[in-house]
Amino acid sequence: MNRVDLTIPTRQSAKGLILIFIFSLRQFIKMFWPVILVAVFQEKYFKDLFILGIVVIVLLALLVVHTILYYLNFIFYISNGEFVLKKGYFRKKILTVPLDRIQSVNTKQNLIQQVLNVVTLEIDTAGSVAKELKIQALEKSFSTELQSALRAVDIKKEVFESDNEKELAETKEEVILKLTPSDLLRIGISQNHLRAGLIIIAFGFQIFQQIQDMFKEKAEEYSNEFIGFMSNSNWALISFLFVFFLIISILFSLFRTVLKYFDFKLTKKEGTYRIESGLLNKRNVIIPHGKVQELKWETGPLKKLFGIYHIAFKQAVSDQNRREQQVDAPGCLSNHLEMLKNDLFGEDKLTDTLKIYSNPYYFRRLWMYYGWIPVLPASPFLYDEWMFWLAVLTWLAVSAFYCSLILKKRYFSINNEQIIVSKGAISHQWTQMELHKIQAVEFRQSVFQKKRSLSNLSIMNASGSITIPFIDETLAKQIYNYLLYHTEVSRKKWM
């Protein structure tokens, strides 16, 4: 089997020239789109089409020069057990990372890359340099070769020996989960449609605000017309608009689900999982078992109706806000969940372990924040309105019920190897992790908690933190001391 010599400095595929140009053009448009809109709709600013044409030609020429220089100065190779990436022409960068520090190596493919038949290879090291270790245009065969080499830390010497190159034993991938169109439909229907609706509103409001800054008079005119139309509308029309908005939110959820999870497949091979999915943006993510910091799974009323769970593998990340680092698997059944837990954590010993719930005082604190604080500031102004009192009583009742659901689902179980934390309200979410992957433990206690001998515990690992709120102070200190002791004496690798 002939392998590519990855020790030789290599450039991206020549097709990368097209990608670099398109990405640069897109970035330019994203930065200056208000100016472009003014040029299109406000002709008084650009009356001379000849000058406008010259400006466009010069800008395109600069983008072409940037594309060529960026392509020629972007090289990568493997040397002395390290991956080296060099890029930049005015401001040059040299990024190096030891192969054994690589967290994961994944590939993505957007619509343009699918047309060009190239992929983006992303290398995650759980460090600040991780987001820069990205190669945007590799041929699929070369990407597979590089991906295998970067992941094969324990056998990298055999891989790169030219005289005695060894063949790796090929084992067949086992397909664990594959989503059909009907599965995608069930997953889309069971999504949080309220969140989808809020995304639509936020996006529309942001666009309106930006357009309003450029076309102030027209925007105000249309805004006033809309407000006048709504104020003169009857309840039937408002109800129709609400139903219409709900339908749009559901369709948007279905659309997002299809885009993200089209042709979803979860496979297992040699101590790793591999996830493939996506329609316009395809992703191919490899998840080594040992590098999973915690496993999260969630269900809700609609998901329970279909008997499905949404599962997320949390790995070490450099930035807690990088949502793309969370690798998820929707539509898993209970047997899939149990199999994944068994692979990652071994035999389940937490099932018969005592569940420790948050103190009932937690309900009072939540009800104060969600129930009383929102209504108290308005009381002096609306106390003589019966509609206000009806709304207040309804709000307090609903918020009390919501907080009771939170308290009911706030518990944890722990033994000398693992911990599982439960939370939620309408939905129900669990997080499970092994104790040897804990990196820090924080004991916190407010003045109000101290009076009642309560406290919070925060458990940190390389993927984030897990909070256990309002538990008995004595118990919290015992767990705190034990977890600190465990992190000091454990000799197991955390990734």
Side-chain angles (χ1 to χ4, degrees), residues 174-177 264 266-269 271-275 287 289-290 292 294-297 309-313 327-348 418 432 434:
E174 176 188 355
V175 178
I176 298 174
L177 175 65
F264 180 94
L266 170 63
T267 59
K268 175 184 174 182
K269 176 184 178 182
T272 62
Y273 296 121
R274 185 165 65 90
I275 290 179
I287 313 167
H289 292 183
V292 175
E294 58 188 57
L295 182 69
K296 299 179 70 173
W297 62 96
Y309 293 88
H310 183 274
I311 295 177
F313 303 89
V327 185
D328 57 347
C332 293
L333 302 177
S334 57
N335 61 308
H336 299 136
L337 174 61
E338 293 304 319
M339 185 273 297
L340 294 174
K341 289 169 62 178
N342 185 68
D343 284 345
L344 295 173
F345 307 118
E347 183 183 354
D348 188 1
Q418 301 167 19
Q432 185 170 347
E434 295 173 294

Side-chain angles (χ1 to χ4, degrees), residues 374-394:
V375 300
L376 287 177
S379 299
F381 305 100
L382 301 172
Y383 65 91
D384 59 341
E385 297 287 340
W386 71 270
M387 286 292 292
F388 166 73
W389 290 110
L390 178 61
V392 165
L393 292 175
T394 303

